[in-house]
Amino acid sequence: MDIFNFSSGPAMLPKPVLEQARDEIMSLGGIGMSVMEISHRSKEFEKVLHGAESGLRRLLNVPDNYRILFLQGGGAMQFSMVPMNLLAPGMTGDYVLTGAWGEKAVKEAAKFGNAKTIYTSVADGFRSVPEQEELSFSSEAAYVHYTSNETIDGVEFKYDLEAGGIPVVCDASSNILSKPIDIEKYALIYAGAQKNIGPSGVTVVIIREDLLKRIPDGLPALMDYRSFAENDSMPNTPNTWGIYLIGLVCRWLDDQGGVAGIEKRNIEKAAVLYNALDSSDGFFIGHAKREARSLMNVTFRLRDERLEDLFIDEAESLGLSGLRGHRSVGGLRASIYNAFPKAGVERLVELMSDFAARNG
Amino acid sequence: MDIFNFSSGPAMLPKPVLEQARDEIMSLGGIGMSVMEISHRSKEFEKVLHGAESGLRRLLNVPDNYRILFLQGGGAMQFSMVPMNLLAPGMTGDYVLTGAWGEKAVKEAAKFGNAKTIYTSVADGFRSVPEQEELSFSSEAAYVHYTSNETIDGVEFKYDLEAGGIPVVCDASSNILSKPIDIEKYALIYAGAQKNIGPSGVTVVIIREDLLKRIPDGLPALMDYRSFAENDSMPNTPNTWGIYLIGLVCRWLDDQGGVAGIEKRNIEKAAVLYNALDSSDGFFIGHAKREARSLMNVTFRLRDERLEDLFIDEAESLGLSGLRGHRSVGGLRASIYNAFPKAGVERLVELMSDFAARNG
């Protein structure tokens, strides 16, 4: 039985990517050495790094005045690095909170300067995202930070936020590469790789070059974006395996018609699931407001919450894994990133219908 | 032709480890999902993490009052984290410099407090390590930091440094697991994985629990050892693939007779190579002084340095890869970590003898 893994991340990887990684693991392109064994300064790894970098640049249409960097530490490391690099004394970091990750980001930023929550949907249980017009920014803002998709709450921005010239910083960990975005609206985008980009252990940072000039001296060397920008992402040994996988994922995405192609499928996949919620006569209750629904993380509960464990057990027995909601909020969550097959959504929807009929 | 990869890191992995990783990459232990695809909070990954942790604990005989943590950022990230966590105001970080990595460590530490070089062998070109008796420490030392093996210079401590009760911090990136050490002599040992432990992208930190009490509040969350100690190394998503590989490497080391068994082989391998240098009538010249010679990185030059490129080319054509010395010092370097096969050293020694005969 095929296993469909709804894990919120690390998440499913495309099967052809795993197969190629398997076939090349002993000998990368016939060189007789694993990609994990070669020097990061070798010409073979240079090719790997360049492949991943150019793949992302091509897919996301990243202009030349942006650098694409590969770091470590996950998305959460950026919660520190963004303010350490960009939040100058006397200025504010403006934070837009639409879920648990945004909350963590602003809490961490407050260690390093004036981190200001300029919008939060906490009062409605993080079920919505603001319209562009609802937001106003501090006059002394060094940047505006938002989370384009909140995995725990299942809400997603449907537009590229604009801040009237203030640098926009976006945590796109959970929806990068899922659809076209307009990079030029952003000053810095970061993403932990383990949802749509590759395995865990690599963080992608796309940064507009002029931001590098604002960075104060004296930061921990590997917390300073310049260390990576000036050394081809290799001030020290990077996660070579992870970067290799990113290159493979980029080529797989090319085969899917790029981010425009994958967006179509993502819309279709999510629609199947949201339709099942909406047509369940309230047996299943979606968490997010309709207009904020994430294409990546579908969060829902059962009207009778006591049935949730049973539902999860039945799902597991059908090869539908990882449906339990985040431990902080409970309920259920189906994470359906780029690599998640539509067949898995269909199997889940069948179970939902059947389960509701039996327990309704 | 088998390729023997003398790269200084990322370095060769044991073939059985790569083979098992290949065989399990699509489905870890028959669960139908790759280890890269499962949640780091799943019971399957918990087992992987525990396997790596207990493997290191068993091999290095780590007592219960030490924590074993898996971080990201490589050894170099520890150059910042050690002083940020341990270098209290009014105290010194005492640094023993025996090569390029120690130099980097003290330079980075100086950003965060009073980092003091209490010993350096720079004057003799980093060809030696001090005797224990040559060292004296600051009365206000918060810790003493040293590098147990210097990869670029090829010198290695043959003893566990003691500092009369001052916490000893050791960068063991390039010789951890190569021989038995007495963990109780150390307060903190760290190591980037990519030489003897696994692939790049994971850093192992072994820390005595009492040190956790000294850490100041307000550090970047992922720069605070407590974040890892209090959350089973998972304050956020770790490098799951890297940790999985570490578990496999530990089991392979068990099969080699543990660190005592591998030490015997390491001594034999290095002896073959050092004997070749010593019996070359000065055609090849070892860099390190005899008593400081590293078992992991054999650094040498040709008497006629103009022949070095030719030698490296001939070596490449025989499947002997990665022999060029670090770009900062030139010359040649044979890195022969745990997983490097003796057959590779023998092939190199044959070439050396033959090359000397032809060009002597």
Side-chain angles (χ1 to χ4, degrees), chain A residues 9-25:
Chain A
M12 286 187 84
L13 287 162
K15 203 170 175 188
V17 165
L18 284 175
E19 286 168 344
Q20 186 173 350
R22 177 196 63 201
D23 294 345
E24 294 186 334
I25 194 171

Side-chain angles (χ1 to χ4, degrees), chain A residues 1 3-5 7-15 18-19 21-23 25-26 31-41 71-78 80 84 104 108 111-112 194-195 198-203 218-223 234-241 245 321 327, chain B residues 1 3-5 7-15 18-19 21-23 25-26 31-41 71-78 80 84 104 108 111-112 194-195 198-203 218-223 234-241 245 321 327:
Chain A
M1 178 174 62
I3 303 294
F4 294 110
N5 171 14
S7 171
S8 65
M12 286 187 84
L13 287 162
K15 203 170 175 188
L18 284 175
E19 286 168 344
R22 177 196 63 201
D23 294 345
I25 194 171
M26 307 294 294
I31 63 172
M33 297 177 272
S34 174
V35 67
M36 288 183 279
E37 299 180 299
I38 56 176
S39 169
H40 54 298
R41 308 283 177 201
L71 284 72
Q72 298 184 49
M77 187 61 115
Q78 298 307 307
S80 311
M84 289 170 83
K104 282 179 203 249
E108 180 68 13
K111 291 179 183 169
F112 309 102
Q194 66 270 17
K195 288 110 163 46
S200 62
V202 188
T203 312
L219 294 179
L222 296 176
M223 301 288 272
M234 302 198 294
N236 67 336
T237 316
N239 177 342
T240 53
W241 173 257
L245 263 282
S321 172
R327 59 199 191 287
Chain B
M1 178 175 63
I3 303 294
F4 294 110
N5 171 17
S7 171
S8 65
M12 286 188 83
L13 287 162
K15 204 170 177 188
L18 285 175
E19 286 168 344
R22 178 196 61 200
D23 294 346
I25 194 172
M26 307 294 293
I31 63 172
M33 296 176 272
S34 175
V35 67
M36 287 183 280
E37 299 179 300
I38 56 176
S39 169
H40 54 296
R41 309 282 177 202
L71 284 71
Q72 298 183 50
M77 186 61 115
Q78 299 307 306
S80 311
M84 290 170 82
K104 282 179 200 247
E108 180 68 13
K111 291 179 182 169
F112 309 103
Q194 66 270 16
K195 287 112 164 41
S200 63
V202 188
T203 312
L219 295 179
L222 297 176
M223 303 286 273
M234 302 198 293
N236 68 336
T237 315
N239 177 344
T240 53
W241 173 259
L245 264 281
S321 172
R327 60 199 189 287

Side-chain angles (χ1 to χ4, degrees), chain B residues 148 165 170 192 196 212 223 242 290 326 345-346:
Chain B
S148 53
C170 180
N196 273 336
L212 298 169
M223 303 286 273
R290 193 172 291 256
H326 189 270
V345 174
E346 286 162 350

Side-chain angles (χ1 to χ4, degrees), chain B residues 38-293:
Chain B
I38 56 176
S39 169
H40 54 296
R41 309 282 177 202
S42 64
K43 61 182 190 307
E44 289 88 358
F45 187 72
E46 207 174 280
K47 233 170 89 179
V48 168
L49 182 74
H50 180 256
E53 196 269 349
S54 64
L56 292 172
R57 192 174 290 278
R58 182 175 65 242
L59 287 162
L60 291 171
N61 200 14
V62 178
D64 285 346
N65 63 326
Y66 287 74
R67 302 295 302 270
I68 299 177
L69 311 176
F70 299 100
L71 284 71
Q72 298 183 50
M77 186 61 115
Q78 299 307 306
F79 298 168
S80 311
M81 283 183 69
V82 165
M84 290 170 82
N85 281 266
L86 302 178
L87 183 40
M91 302 188 81
T92 66
D94 281 6
Y95 282 76
V96 177
L97 309 192
T98 55
W101 293 107
E103 280 190 314
K104 282 179 200 247
V106 72
K107 191 176 158 206
E108 180 68 13
K111 291 179 182 169
F112 309 103
N114 188 4
K116 199 170 155 189
T117 299
I118 60 158
Y119 175 92
T120 174
S121 53
V122 67
D124 85 346
F126 290 136
R127 299 172 63 234
S128 61
V129 301
E131 299 289 325
Q132 175 72 59
E133 299 72 42
E134 292 176 66
L135 300 173
S136 60
F137 309 102
S138 306
S139 55
E140 67 283 16
Y143 61 84
V144 176
H145 179 284
Y146 79 111
T147 314
S148 53
N149 182 71
E150 284 279 358
T151 54
I152 293 175
D153 311 284
V155 295
E156 183 173 16
F157 279 80
K158 307 296 178 187
Y159 61 94
D160 301 304
L161 190 148
E162 292 187 85
I166 301 166
V168 173
V169 175
C170 180
D171 176 359
S173 291
S174 51
N175 70 348
I176 194 167
L177 293 177
S178 71
K179 61 181 179 182
I181 54 174
D182 181 356
I183 294 284
E184 299 199 77
K185 298 235 170 91
Y186 301 86
L188 191 159
I189 299 178
Y190 64 86
Q194 66 270 16
K195 287 112 164 41
N196 273 336
I197 316 180
S200 63
V202 188
T203 312
V204 171
V205 171
I206 304 173
I207 184 170
R208 209 174 59 210
E209 279 177 343
D210 62 285
L211 262 71
L212 298 169
K213 300 196 180 80
R214 307 185 177 202
I215 299 171
D217 290 331
L219 295 179
L222 297 176
M223 303 286 273
D224 185 324
Y225 292 121
R226 293 174 300 186
S227 301
F228 294 86
E230 291 164 7
N231 293 288
D232 264 340
S233 288
M234 302 198 293
N236 68 336
T237 315
N239 177 344
T240 53
W241 173 259
I243 291 171
Y244 159 71
L245 264 281
I246 290 174
L248 300 190
V249 169
C250 288
R251 286 205 288 279
W252 174 80
L253 269 174
D254 288 337
D255 294 342
Q256 312 306 307
V259 290
I262 204 77
E263 182 188 33
K264 264 193 207 165
R265 295 179 179 219
N266 286 333
I267 290 172
E268 284 169 21
K269 278 187 321 198
V272 172
L273 206 33
Y274 283 118
N275 287 342
L277 297 181
D278 292 341
S279 61
S280 75
D281 286 328
F283 188 89
F284 297 100
I285 304 162
H287 174 75
K289 286 189 181 156
R290 193 172 291 256
E291 61 278 12
R293 283 173 165 177

